[in-house]
Amino acid sequence: TEDEVETILIDVRNHKECQIGAFAPGISIDPQTKTFAQFPQWVKENTGSETATSEVSAKAAVTSPSPLLLNNKRILMYCTGGIRCEKASAYIRQVVPQNKGIYHLKGGIHKYLEEFGQDALSSNKESENVNGGSKGRSDDGECLFAGKNFVFDRRGALDAKGHGVGEEECGKDPSNRSTVIGKCQYCTDPYDTFHPENICTVCREPILICEKCQLDLNQKQRSLRGLTPLTLNSSDRVEDTTENESNCRVEYHCEDHSHLNTCYFTSLHGFSVTELEKQLEQLQLKNKDLEGIGKKGKQKRRTLRKQIDKIEACMKQKLNNGKYEDATLEPAMQCRHCGSSTCTSDCWGFHGGNTRMVNKSKKNQGGDGGAVEVVELKKHRQRSRVPSNQRPAKRLKRQSDISEIEVLHLSNPPSQHQNEANLRVPPPVVRVLRSGVKGRWCGKTVHWVLNNDFVECLHGLTQEERDEGLDQLIAAGLIRVNGVPPEASDVVLRNMDTIERIVHWHEPPISVPSKISLTTHTLPESILSSNGEATVGPLLYCINKPPSVPIYPAGPYYANSLLLMVEAQEGLPPKTLIPLHRIDRATSGLLLCANMSSVARVIQGRMTSSSKDDEKNPPVRKLYLARVKGKFPAMSSESPTITEECASIASFAWCGDENNIIEVNAPIAVQLESSESKDNEDESASNTMMHRTVRGDGKHSISRFKLISYDTNTNQSLISCAPITGRGHQLRVHLQLIGFPIHNDVEYGGTVNVESVKEQKRLSAQSMLDVTAATSECLHEESVTTREVGSAVQMCKCCSGGLEGIKASYNSAQLLGCGHAIDLHAYKYCISFEQKGRNDSKEEKSRVASCDKKDHEDETATSMEFSTDLPSWASSCIGLTRNRFSWLK
């Protein structure tokens, strides 16, 4: 029956609120949260949907021992005012569908006490006698809530029995006070009063500390700081004398930070160098213990690191002065919020509200004389998020990359390193590949990481051969941890470690012209006027990217990346150009780059902007050209077909002014390919680990296509394409879906000449072998020794395996086989800008947007258009003109 359903009572409030008052103390469940943001995690951990690994679940283990605590239960909840319960109940209904009912106290504890508290007991006494009791009370007529109700204002907490009664009146009459359920954190004596000065010095969380423990801690900390003990009278109270006026404000530590009660103090005044050394040693040990838990301990490590730096700076100052200053003469500890030395911590949070309110109150108390000290509002520096490329770690990585490029001579124009077959093959070098330890690597051995996440270094070997190969790499000094070769492969990695591999680096060839075509443009001043950054020189580079060339260093490519070659060709320093969007390696066409971060932010902001009108009037228009197999439909009577398995999730429709544009709507998802596909000799196998497919759980994707011309001799069609959304491989997937795969795109249904592909792979491998044989000395970094260079060359598969070793190390597309170049070309882009301060009418905006390219580049323009030359496979079409390529609207 319904009455037999197990019922649980959850206190949705934070732990500090539960400490001083609750319904059914000891029975209601306290999730032990510090903020309400931690409550969803507690719910997940107590429904079995997540492993209980957080601190919240560890502390709440006493009250919620079962990982299925919330399943198949009737759940009752309460909070201070009912708002948190409304959010929590909605969330639990979603996460725990197998509940037996979820209920919460309407109006929360506050509303309950207004109705059933002390005032209600007095006013409704007569009605209770008539009705034989009241809903919400126990049988003896008492309120069911015990203790105090925590409130977020200067009152701090209201007594359950004295709710609605003044604090002074409640304190005078003991009968107005409820049972004290709170306990002092240090001595566990009954105590339930939060004072504004009794906060954790680490996290500033309010804590319960009785007066006796406050005095004991004050005496102990004064002794640590070398101050004279406080003078007590016969009543064990501090005598109010100027001798005892202390610059030592006692510092407390909450339960979470009790392990830091001997080594973490906000004020370091009075501590001797010896005492500071003890604190420093303890903090360093605790920080080291946190290094093995990855991202979960990031904030804790940061807190300890700041304190360590603070102590080191204090010690340095004391040692440089050459003398120990008298602690009693040092300045008093100041409030971290208002900066006053006499503040009692009532200027912040729910205790005091705003500092200006405190000032106003003190001025009123001082009268016209103004003798009362006015708290000056502490000036906080406006914090602004530093751009990602300007953060210290990013700047250091950038400098390291530039240094490597210069030392290894990786930045050269495309005409350099080209052979007679017009293949660009850079000479091999010895590189040091570095990677910071990731969260999932913490606590794992070097052997485990190399065997699981760096399988390419020992690809194609059995497990036994891999183990032997890893031992050889470590023995040869080609594996480093923090710059030092590990003694064995079972060395455990810790957080913040760096793992390095020394490799003999070969790059697969690319087919690239001796000079890469590009044009330069400048943005109108009206668009950049709000950035406040000087605009010197060309700001935008419109590059015509050849196929088979990656944009930036990735995978086996570094010197053969487009940006490095263009920078060398144009005389720019390395890492100058910033790509504004991406384009597949196998695709050719337009790539926009900027040489200033302000320009990049403007363009990328338009490319990533989204609004309801974007599909009708997108801020960026893109037009691609593609050559596909078969005669592409030109009218509705020639509609394509979609396979039965995709018919329920994909669709197409005819659109355009002449109803000659096909719009395909099909969700696209990533399908991870197995690494075993690299061993497949089938030339049509996928060349990527991130294959895309049409699937119901994919992302919303829309593309438009239009026939331009059809060649009956080759049975191929030239079409224009427009991606309305920006998913990876979107045009390629949608064209395969409607039965017209792109020519040479073997990954998505295209075909190639297998014999010519095999010959091209042989020529590419042979060119790499020839360049390796012609390289007499390998360039390397200074940190790599001559012995390590020799070991890297000796263990290189490309050098020891010859042609077969090279073919085994790279896939078909990387050796210019199938899939390295497809007939898809990014032809032109049009970017619209929103000028600040302009209130043009719709007609005016339409007129400006329809102007030609020259008008786009003047000061009043709102859009810019960029285009490239036609690819060779498109320009060969008879009667083809640039006017045939219109935007697909």
Side-chain angles (χ1 to χ4, degrees), residues 111-237:
K111 187 72 174 178
Y112 174 87
L113 293 180
E114 282 184 349
E115 186 172 353
F116 304 116
Q118 180 69 25
D119 292 345
L121 282 172
S122 301
S123 61
N124 296 332
K125 183 176 182 181
E126 183 177 349
S127 62
E128 289 177 13
N129 293 333
V130 174
N131 297 329
S134 177
K135 181 181 177 182
R137 300 192 186 96
S138 60
D139 294 338
D140 57 2
E142 293 185 358
C143 177
L144 297 177
F145 185 85
K148 290 182 178 179
N149 180 29
F150 189 96
V151 291
F152 294 88
D153 55 34
R154 299 193 68 176
R155 295 174 294 175
L158 296 180
D159 193 272
K161 292 189 69 175
H163 199 276
V165 181
E167 286 293 327
E168 295 181 1
E169 182 181 349
C170 184
K172 292 177 181 178
D173 186 0
S175 64
N176 283 338
R177 295 190 57 83
S178 298
T179 304
V180 177
I181 68 170
K183 295 181 180 180
C184 172
Q185 178 182 311
Y186 288 84
C187 65
T188 68
D189 286 347
Y191 192 78
D192 62 355
T193 303
F194 286 110
H195 293 286
E197 64 272 14
N198 295 349
I199 59 174
C200 177
T201 192
V202 182
C203 63
R204 307 196 77 180
E205 190 75 6
I207 51 182
L208 294 173
I209 308 176
C210 66
E211 296 178 357
K212 180 178 179 299
C213 292
Q214 292 179 38
L215 182 59
D216 291 343
L217 285 172
N218 200 345
Q219 295 283 37
K220 290 179 182 179
Q221 292 188 17
R222 290 180 67 84
S223 176
L224 284 175
R225 298 175 186 270
L227 300 174
T228 57
L230 294 174
T231 304
L232 304 179
N233 57 23
S234 58
S235 302
D236 288 340
R237 293 183 177 275

